[in-house]
Amino acid sequence: SQELEQSPQSLIVQEGKNLTINCTSSKTLYGLYWYKQKYGEGLIFLMMLQKGGEEKSHEKITAKLDEKKQQSSLHITASQPSHAGIYLCGADGVDAGGTSYGKLTFGQGTILTVHP
Amino acid sequence: SAVISQKPSRDICQRGTSLTIQCQVDSQVTMMFWYRQQPGQSLTLIATANQGSEATYESGFVIDKFPISRPNLTFSTLTVSNMSPEDSSIYLCSVAKGLTLGYNEQFFGPGTRLTVL
């Protein structure tokens, strides 16, 4: 089965600082999802990456998938208190023919705290 | 995107009882899933809810404990049966929009926070 490891497990930054969260897989990533979760709530979809070398941005958040498709990073520029929460990466499973199962395996999450 | 609602949002139940959680989507979706998030843990997939047929369960989860229904393409229920304190978790439904081939955007509901006493 696929395992995802996120680093760091927790992160405390001062408002305005940049930060990066990493997600590393034991197997090739065919569909990599990033979500944000506020404590005790549902997941907010941020971005999905499919292709090696792909990069997507939304507001101050940028996600990249490396060429080998085994590592992804999430970068937040000029962090704000509203960015605080738990960031989760999730990987899709596929069959031998490349069809998505749609079933996600998640990393353990990165807890982000942003001090004003 | 997809707008997903879950009922109830939270509940406190006595051990030995059962609770049914509802998941409603604002549009027809290809796939629906149920996840569990135990306290301080990440998400674990319970099962895939299949429209018109029995759900497909992941290792460690069984139909007798977590019966699932999906009568149409916008609605599903998950029942947590004969509950024990170990079932205290957040239960989330998710939906995949798009074609079954290729990769779909997946969206999650707000979750149901269950506490079993």
Side-chain angles (χ1 to χ4, degrees), chain B residues 56-71:
Chain B
T56 306
Y57 290 85
E58 298 301 305
S59 176
F61 297 97
V62 295
I63 187 171
D64 290 346
K65 177 66 176 177
F66 297 102
I68 288 170
S69 77
R70 189 179 173 192

Side-chain angles (χ1 to χ4, degrees), chain B residues 8 20 22-23 26 34 46 60 67 71 74 77 87 92 97 111-112:
Chain B
T20 295
Q22 298 180 1
C23 177
D26 67 340
W34 286 98
I46 298 172
T74 63
T77 66
D87 294 319
L92 301 109
K97 295 206 75 174
T112 295

Side-chain angles (χ1 to χ4, degrees), chain B residues 32-66:
Chain B
M32 295 181 76
F33 306 92
W34 286 98
Y35 287 82
R36 179 176 74 181
Q37 186 177 31
Q38 294 177 299
Q41 303 293 316
S42 191
L43 280 76
T44 301
L45 180 64
I46 298 172
T48 303
N50 300 309
Q51 194 263 327
S53 64
E54 196 170 282
T56 306
Y57 290 85
E58 298 301 305
S59 176
F61 297 97
V62 295
I63 187 171
D64 290 346
K65 177 66 176 177
F66 297 102

Side-chain angles (χ1 to χ4, degrees), chain A residues 34 36 46-47 56-63 74-77 83 87:
Chain A
W34 282 101
K36 177 185 173 184
L46 296 176
M47 277 168 277
K56 289 186 177 179
S57 294
H58 177 67
E59 296 181 344
K60 295 184 178 180
I61 301 176
T62 300
L74 186 81
H75 184 77
I76 298 177
T77 303
H83 287 125
Y87 288 82

Side-chain angles (χ1 to χ4, degrees), chain B residues 95-109:
Chain B
V95 304
K97 295 206 75 174
L99 301 175
T100 53
L101 295 177
Y103 306 96
N104 311 290
E105 290 187 334
Q106 291 204 28
F107 304 96
F108 282 77

Side-chain angles (χ1 to χ4, degrees), chain A residues 21-37:
Chain A
I21 299 169
N22 293 302
C23 177
T24 303
S25 172
S26 57
K27 298 182 179 180
T28 301
L29 293 163
Y30 289 100
L32 189 286
Y33 297 77
W34 282 101
Y35 293 91
K36 177 185 173 184
Q37 183 179 32

